[in-house]
Amino acid sequence: MKHKTLSIIIPCFNEEKTIEQLLQNLVNTDLSPLQPEIIIINDSSTDKSANLIESFKHKNNKSNIKLISHIKNKGKSQAVKTGILSSRGDLVIIQDADLEYNPQNIKQFVKMFIDNPELDFIYGNRYGKKNKVIYIHNWLGNKVLTAFSNFFTYPRGGVKVGDMEVCYKMIRGDLIREIAPKLKSKSNFGFEPEITAKLSKIKPKPNYSQIAIDYVPRTFAEGKHMKSFRDGLKACIEIIRFNLISG
């Protein structure tokens, strides 16, 4: 399959401090030979995020930037689902609205897909590089959740990733749009264990790869949303749910 287009899905909730810089970073990233579309889902932000996105789009005359707004806040997982269902790209990748991830890394995903058109998906891996660690409990929690997820997905579909909770997941567009209507999680971070479980269930067994990526974690004072114990417990429950109960 020859890939020509890339959809970049950005869930956004109250990210007025970073959204403009993030969009500028994406615009400055050469993703050729793919033509990118940027889909931002404003999940009922109460700050200036939506206005800043619209202003950036018109100021830079970017017709490939699309803003979708939820009237009510639905959580990150459902925002991502909305974006996927609105996408048209041959490939789809998720991008957080903060500055923790470096869009320049997306070029590596594009190259790997171009060179290996048989791939179904690629996961980023924040542990593949010596990235900064701010909260050791978050770092350890993600490690534990990844191992727990692999416990289910590897025997079933041969899917063993180094970083299940990573934002950067690039997936074939037709595959993710087939899966998206079945995504059920309504929690902020349930998309990661659910999509990993569902990808491990595709037949025949999926072809996938992984790429070490850059990661600059932000502090809670800077707007980080994830709380290790609360969200980690939810993720454990959802790993069990989506691997053993849901289809």
Side-chain angles (χ1 to χ4, degrees):
M1 179 185 296
K2 187 175 181 180
H3 304 300
K4 298 180 180 179
T5 54
L6 170 65
S7 296
I8 303 171
I9 311 298
I10 307 175
C12 178
F13 177 68
N14 289 351
E15 296 288 3
E16 64 180 6
K17 295 180 180 179
T18 58
I19 188 62
E20 286 182 296
Q21 184 60 59
L22 183 275
L23 291 174
Q24 190 62 60
N25 292 348
L26 282 170
V27 168
N28 291 342
T29 302
D30 180 9
L31 297 173
S32 58
L34 302 186
Q35 294 296 317
E37 67 168 357
I38 300 172
I39 303 174
I40 309 153
I41 304 85
N42 169 38
D43 196 24
S44 193
S45 295
T46 57
D47 64 2
K48 299 177 182 177
S49 293
N51 290 336
L52 292 173
I53 293 164
E54 287 285 12
S55 175
F56 182 92
K57 175 181 176 179
H58 294 300
K59 183 168 59 178
N60 293 276
N61 193 28
K62 292 295 182 180
S63 59
N64 66 328
I65 295 178
K66 180 179 181 180
L67 175 63
I68 301 172
S69 291
H70 285 167
I71 296 175
K72 294 182 179 180
N73 181 270
K74 296 184 178 181
K76 181 179 178 180
S77 295
Q78 288 297 305
V80 170
K81 179 178 178 178
T82 295
I84 293 169
L85 292 174
S86 301
S87 70
R88 297 173 294 176
D90 298 319
L91 300 172
V92 174
I93 194 168
I94 316 302
Q95 168 73 61
D96 280 348
D98 54 41
L99 302 176
E100 291 187 326
Y101 292 85
N102 180 4
Q104 291 293 321
N105 288 157
I106 298 177
K107 295 192 290 187
Q108 298 171 258
F109 288 75
V110 170
K111 184 178 186 307
M112 183 172 284
F113 254 113
I114 296 298
D115 292 344
N116 303 275
E118 76 284 355
L119 285 172
D120 295 307
F121 58 89
I122 303 171
Y123 270 47
N125 184 0
R126 293 168 292 177
Y127 304 110
K129 289 187 175 183
K130 292 183 179 179
N131 291 312
K132 183 179 181 181
V133 176
I134 294 180
Y135 300 116
I136 189 66
H137 46 284
N138 279 18
W139 186 89
L140 288 172
N142 284 336
K143 282 279 194 178
V144 170
L145 290 173
T146 294
F148 190 40
S149 176
N150 287 337
F151 175 79
F152 296 102
T153 61
Y154 184 67
R156 178 198 304 120
V159 175
K160 183 178 181 181
V161 299
D163 188 2
M164 180 272 292
E165 290 283 359
V166 71
C167 168
Y168 275 174
K169 297 174 173 70
M170 185 176 283
I171 306 169
R172 278 185 15 237
D174 59 332
L175 175 59
I176 191 61
R177 283 187 289 271
E178 179 182 344
I179 293 174
K182 306 171 188 176
L183 294 172
K184 300 175 182 179
S185 177
K186 295 182 180 180
S187 70
N188 278 332
F189 301 99
F191 173 78
E192 317 302 346
E194 183 174 10
I195 193 61
T196 305
K198 284 180 165 55
L199 287 171
S200 73
K201 295 178 182 180
I202 65 175
K203 303 295 183 182
K205 288 186 177 182
N207 292 311
Y208 74 100
S209 190
Q210 303 181 66
I211 292 176
I213 62 170
D214 302 312
Y215 182 65
V216 182
R218 60 178 174 173
T219 66
F220 292 120
E222 293 170 323
K224 189 173 186 66
H225 299 305
M226 187 173 188
K227 302 293 176 62
S228 58
F229 181 78
R230 179 197 65 191
D231 294 312
L233 181 59
K234 289 180 181 178
C236 282
I237 294 170
E238 292 191 311
I239 288 170
I240 295 171
R241 174 189 175 191
F242 294 119
N243 279 284
L244 296 182
I245 302 172
S246 298

PDB file of all heavy atoms in Angstrom, residues 14 17 127 168 220 233 241:
ATOM      1  N   ASN A  14      -8.091  22.951  27.496  1.00  0.00           N
ATOM      2  CA  ASN A  14      -7.428  24.022  28.263  1.00  0.00           C
ATOM      3  C   ASN A  14      -5.913  24.004  28.090  1.00  0.00           C
ATOM      4  O   ASN A  14      -5.153  23.881  29.047  1.00  0.00           O
ATOM      5  CB  ASN A  14      -7.792  23.907  29.749  1.00  0.00           C
ATOM      6  CG  ASN A  14      -9.240  24.287  30.024  1.00  0.00           C
ATOM      7  OD1 ASN A  14      -9.937  24.799  29.151  1.00  0.00           O
ATOM      8  ND2 ASN A  14      -9.700  24.026  31.240  1.00  0.00           N
ATOM      9  N   LYS A  17      -1.704  27.699  26.871  1.00  0.00           N
ATOM     10  CA  LYS A  17      -0.294  28.041  27.061  1.00  0.00           C
ATOM     11  C   LYS A  17       0.612  27.402  26.011  1.00  0.00           C
ATOM     12  O   LYS A  17       1.722  27.895  25.777  1.00  0.00           O
ATOM     13  CB  LYS A  17       0.168  27.618  28.457  1.00  0.00           C
ATOM     14  CG  LYS A  17      -0.508  28.362  29.594  1.00  0.00           C
ATOM     15  CD  LYS A  17       0.004  27.874  30.936  1.00  0.00           C
ATOM     16  CE  LYS A  17      -0.661  28.604  32.096  1.00  0.00           C
ATOM     17  NZ  LYS A  17      -0.180  28.117  33.416  1.00  0.00           N
ATOM     18  N   TYR A 127      11.069   5.241  26.637  1.00  0.00           N
ATOM     19  CA  TYR A 127      12.123   4.601  27.421  1.00  0.00           C
ATOM     20  C   TYR A 127      13.298   4.172  26.558  1.00  0.00           C
ATOM     21  O   TYR A 127      14.280   3.651  27.059  1.00  0.00           O
ATOM     22  CB  TYR A 127      11.554   3.404  28.179  1.00  0.00           C
ATOM     23  CG  TYR A 127      10.376   3.780  29.049  1.00  0.00           C
ATOM     24  CD1 TYR A 127       9.088   3.367  28.726  1.00  0.00           C
ATOM     25  CD2 TYR A 127      10.550   4.582  30.171  1.00  0.00           C
ATOM     26  CE1 TYR A 127       7.997   3.730  29.514  1.00  0.00           C
ATOM     27  CE2 TYR A 127       9.471   4.949  30.962  1.00  0.00           C
ATOM     28  CZ  TYR A 127       8.201   4.519  30.626  1.00  0.00           C
ATOM     29  OH  TYR A 127       7.124   4.886  31.406  1.00  0.00           O
ATOM     30  N   TYR A 168       2.477   8.916  21.022  1.00  0.00           N
ATOM     31  CA  TYR A 168       2.788   8.700  19.609  1.00  0.00           C
ATOM     32  C   TYR A 168       2.548   7.252  19.198  1.00  0.00           C
ATOM     33  O   TYR A 168       3.369   6.365  19.443  1.00  0.00           O
ATOM     34  CB  TYR A 168       4.237   9.089  19.316  1.00  0.00           C
ATOM     35  CG  TYR A 168       4.442  10.567  19.032  1.00  0.00           C
ATOM     36  CD1 TYR A 168       5.725  11.089  18.875  1.00  0.00           C
ATOM     37  CD2 TYR A 168       3.372  11.435  18.893  1.00  0.00           C
ATOM     38  CE1 TYR A 168       5.924  12.431  18.609  1.00  0.00           C
ATOM     39  CE2 TYR A 168       3.566  12.781  18.633  1.00  0.00           C
ATOM     40  CZ  TYR A 168       4.840  13.279  18.493  1.00  0.00           C
ATOM     41  OH  TYR A 168       5.034  14.612  18.224  1.00  0.00           O
ATOM     42  N   PHE A 220       3.071  19.283  37.145  1.00  0.00           N
ATOM     43  CA  PHE A 220       1.658  19.571  37.394  1.00  0.00           C
ATOM     44  C   PHE A 220       1.422  21.075  37.365  1.00  0.00           C
ATOM     45  O   PHE A 220       0.377  21.541  36.919  1.00  0.00           O
ATOM     46  CB  PHE A 220       1.225  18.979  38.735  1.00  0.00           C
ATOM     47  CG  PHE A 220       1.218  17.476  38.742  1.00  0.00           C
ATOM     48  CD1 PHE A 220       2.007  16.766  39.635  1.00  0.00           C
ATOM     49  CD2 PHE A 220       0.428  16.768  37.849  1.00  0.00           C
ATOM     50  CE1 PHE A 220       1.997  15.378  39.641  1.00  0.00           C
ATOM     51  CE2 PHE A 220       0.420  15.379  37.842  1.00  0.00           C
ATOM     52  CZ  PHE A 220       1.202  14.682  38.743  1.00  0.00           C
ATOM     53  N   LEU A 233      -4.710   3.318  38.444  1.00  0.00           N
ATOM     54  CA  LEU A 233      -5.692   2.322  38.862  1.00  0.00           C
ATOM     55  C   LEU A 233      -6.769   2.149  37.793  1.00  0.00           C
ATOM     56  O   LEU A 233      -7.164   1.025  37.464  1.00  0.00           O
ATOM     57  CB  LEU A 233      -6.331   2.745  40.185  1.00  0.00           C
ATOM     58  CG  LEU A 233      -7.378   1.795  40.767  1.00  0.00           C
ATOM     59  CD1 LEU A 233      -6.772   0.421  41.018  1.00  0.00           C
ATOM     60  CD2 LEU A 233      -7.961   2.376  42.051  1.00  0.00           C
ATOM     61  N   ARG A 241     -10.433  -4.997  31.441  1.00  0.00           N
ATOM     62  CA  ARG A 241     -11.721  -4.883  30.737  1.00  0.00           C
ATOM     63  C   ARG A 241     -11.586  -5.114  29.249  1.00  0.00           C
ATOM     64  O   ARG A 241     -12.321  -5.915  28.663  1.00  0.00           O
ATOM     65  CB  ARG A 241     -12.323  -3.503  31.007  1.00  0.00           C
ATOM     66  CG  ARG A 241     -13.595  -3.201  30.210  1.00  0.00           C
ATOM     67  CD  ARG A 241     -13.992  -1.747  30.362  1.00  0.00           C
ATOM     68  NE  ARG A 241     -15.126  -1.411  29.531  1.00  0.00           N
ATOM     69  CZ  ARG A 241     -15.547  -0.165  29.309  1.00  0.00           C
ATOM     70  NH1 ARG A 241     -14.918   0.857  29.880  1.00  0.00           N
ATOM     71  NH2 ARG A 241     -16.580   0.065  28.520  1.00  0.00           N
TER      72      ARG A 241
END
